[in-house]
Amino acid sequence: MRSTNAFHPAVTGKEKAVSSLNKGVRKAEVTLRWDPSPLGQPPHDLDIVAATYSARAPFGEPAYVVHFDSRSPDGTIILTRESKTGQGFGADEVMTLEFDRLAAEYGRVVLGVVIQQRSGRTVFGDVANASVRVLEGHQEIGQHDFAAVAGSTAAKVGEFVRGESGDWAFSDSLVGFDADPQAFVTVMGDPTA
């Protein structure tokens, strides 16, 4: 069994760049859903994570990370709904990202999903009907069901990059990691993954 602190990416090969016509992505919403654990089993707790990188060091350490019921220092990235069990209707977790208000000093935002490891090792294959969507308004610009990374405990699901003109574009990808939540935030933006 691999250590949950190790960095082991699993790439799916599905990657595409998506952005709005001419103006880039101005505001996006990330929604995550999963089914509750079977009766008598410990609850599954999945979390959306966004790591923001400076324009001067887009592949260095994140300037800040938004996760686990937090928000960015300037309020441009907010986790508006958080579930610890997957119970309820609609999306279990929702994150809003306002790129038209994000300071020019930032040039990259990486999105991920991580499973809290409370009752032994839990991978995406253990969580029923887990899926994530990235929306710009009503248009879906990214969607994954985690089947391709079923043996992973965390996954990068895409990234937003600011172009030379200042417009933001989304690159949809799915990369699995074998990392606990703490280790994942340090490796999720690795350009080699």
Side-chain angles (χ1 to χ4, degrees):
M1 176 158 71
R2 292 184 280 178
S3 166
T4 58
N5 290 323
F7 164 67
H8 299 285
V11 182
T12 66
K14 178 185 175 189
E15 191 167 317
K16 61 182 177 179
V18 182
S19 66
S20 295
L21 297 175
N22 302 324
K23 297 187 181 185
V25 178
R26 296 176 141 186
K27 185 175 182 178
E29 183 176 79
V30 182
T31 65
L32 175 64
R33 62 177 297 137
W34 68 97
D35 288 349
S37 300
L39 192 60
Q41 297 295 315
H44 298 304
D45 183 4
L46 283 67
D47 289 299
I48 301 170
V49 180
T52 304
Y53 298 82
S54 77
R56 285 181 282 149
F59 300 104
E61 292 292 316
Y64 61 84
V65 178
V66 178
H67 58 84
F68 321 137
D69 198 26
S70 67
R71 60 186 286 154
S72 64
D74 60 3
T76 57
I77 303 174
I78 301 171
L79 191 60
T80 58
R81 184 181 307 164
E82 181 182 22
S83 172
K84 296 186 185 314
T85 63
Q87 294 176 322
F89 296 104
D92 297 309
E93 297 218 351
V94 178
M95 180 179 281
T96 303
L97 304 97
E98 296 183 59
F99 294 102
D100 55 350
R101 295 190 325 119
L102 193 61
E105 68 187 89
Y106 303 113
R108 183 171 176 242
V109 177
V110 178
L111 298 175
V113 174
V114 64
I115 304 170
Q116 294 291 334
Q117 302 295 313
R118 294 196 177 107
S119 303
R121 186 169 185 272
T122 304
V123 297
F124 288 111
D126 298 328
V127 182
N129 297 314
S131 66
V132 64
R133 295 175 68 206
V134 182
L135 304 163
E136 181 185 10
H138 296 291
Q139 179 186 1
E140 184 176 276
I141 58 175
Q143 188 279 333
H144 298 284
D145 66 6
F146 303 106
V149 293
S152 300
T153 60
K156 172 183 159 185
V157 298
E159 65 182 78
F160 293 91
V161 177
R162 189 190 303 260
E164 290 181 14
S165 65
D167 293 340
W168 288 87
F170 180 69
S171 180
D172 185 33
S173 63
L174 181 64
V175 181
F177 292 83
D178 190 13
D180 65 26
Q182 202 71 23
F184 179 59
V185 299
T186 65
V187 299
M188 65 185 278
D190 186 326
T192 62

